[in-house]
Amino acid sequence: MEKAELTALLTPEGLRLLDAMPAVESSDDVARAVTRLRRDGHSPDLVSAVVGQARLRTRAQAKFGDLAERMLFTRAGLEQATRLPIAARHAARFRDAGLGRVADLGCGIGGDALGLAALGLRVTAVDADEVTAGIAAYNLAPFGDDVDVRHGTAETADLSEVDAVWLDPARRTAGHTETSRTRPEDWSPSLDWVFGLARRLPAGIKLGPGLDRDLIPDDVEAQWVSADGSTVELVLWSGALAREGVRRAALVIRGGAAHELTAEKDAADAPVRELGAYLHEPDGAVIRARLIGEVARSLDSGMLDEHIAYLTSDAALTSPFVSTFRVREVLPADPKALSKELRERGIGRLEIKKRGVDIDPATLRTRLKLRGPESATLFVTRIGTRRTAILADRV
């Protein structure tokens, strides 16, 4: 969104038009809405802002639920925003540590600040982009004087009256729409600056889950977070926000339930064992946190291969930290022979998972020419030097 569009939108006319808009889900919906609003005589800036916001509000339902209908967004800001249930869990850590005033540096559209303010914390929210700061101010306006939104950089923010900081460094090039990833030294603020601040004040630092682990300081808690099967972020906690004796954590959120695995350090992997009656796929947060061994021991399972993140067992056990499958049989890995075997079993719907092999599941699915009423899951992986296809059913 450009500044002129935001200016046009933040008027009684603009907000009334936006609130009256139906859901905008497709390109056809966009075209129809633009045609109707232009026909009614609205300015190009206002039409662009209203239709763009209506479409973003529809997309934002996944992160913000019904609250999305009362918020404003930029495309980049929505993509980078923390899901509201996760933001609430982060905010609870500040509250439980007795930290009453928090600076949200790089606040974006205000998703994390919403979580903080909703738990009664006072928030200073800062963003370097003027339009984004304006949108954050709109989204956080219901909290009144408890939230102060400022346009400025993290490096120049006044932190003299805050107890702790939440940092979400800009890890992409500047912009409200299409952006590209940058290196840690080019982030805004830089990772070195962020770590320096985290040594002076209790801090929560939101980063991408794929951050090079060698960059993680030894004196912080590293918590990887997944939501509904997707690993969404890594949070580094320092000072009073880091839990005693915890250096590695995997927070797994599925639906409305949250489960966490914690440890003092990376867990040793479980021994390799032969394929058993069950195959377990660890959650991405567990893999990133290198806590697969902890899960393996709780399931009485072993590694299928020392380099592949699949577990196997004969015990009829599962946990929130894995997806569990009952093994049917091992099939030929050659696509032609595999296709024949699957057709003989009447399998027409197939979930394909792969690790350690260079295949494209979509291409393989086409080559298999599936037919039939049955469904199953196919794992294509490597055990030692051998490519293996394992047919299984979700438990």
Side-chain angles (χ1 to χ4, degrees), residues 137-194:
Y138 177 90
N139 292 336
L140 295 164
F143 295 100
D145 293 340
D146 287 340
V147 178
D148 177 19
V149 180
R150 302 175 184 175
H151 172 219
T153 65
E155 296 91 335
T156 59
D158 180 5
L159 304 178
S160 60
E161 297 183 358
V162 304
D163 304 316
V165 292
W166 173 261
L167 296 117
D168 186 0
R171 301 181 293 279
R172 290 176 171 271
T173 53
H176 307 139
T177 54
E178 303 301 331
T179 60
S180 59
R181 296 188 184 277
T182 56
R183 301 171 301 171
E185 57 268 30
D186 297 325
W187 293 350
S188 181
S190 72
L191 195 56
D192 284 344
W193 186 91
V194 168

Side-chain angles (χ1 to χ4, degrees), residues 90 94 102-105 112 164-168 204-206 235 237:
H90 295 337
F94 286 89
V102 180
D104 182 354
L105 304 179
D112 289 293
V165 292
W166 173 261
L167 296 117
D168 186 0
I205 307 164
K206 177 184 172 182
V235 182
W237 300 100

Side-chain angles (χ1 to χ4, degrees), residues 82-93 111-112 114-116 119:
T82 304
R83 301 177 189 217
L84 193 56
I86 298 175
R89 293 187 67 87
H90 295 337
R93 192 180 288 225
D112 289 293
L114 280 171
L116 293 163
L119 291 189

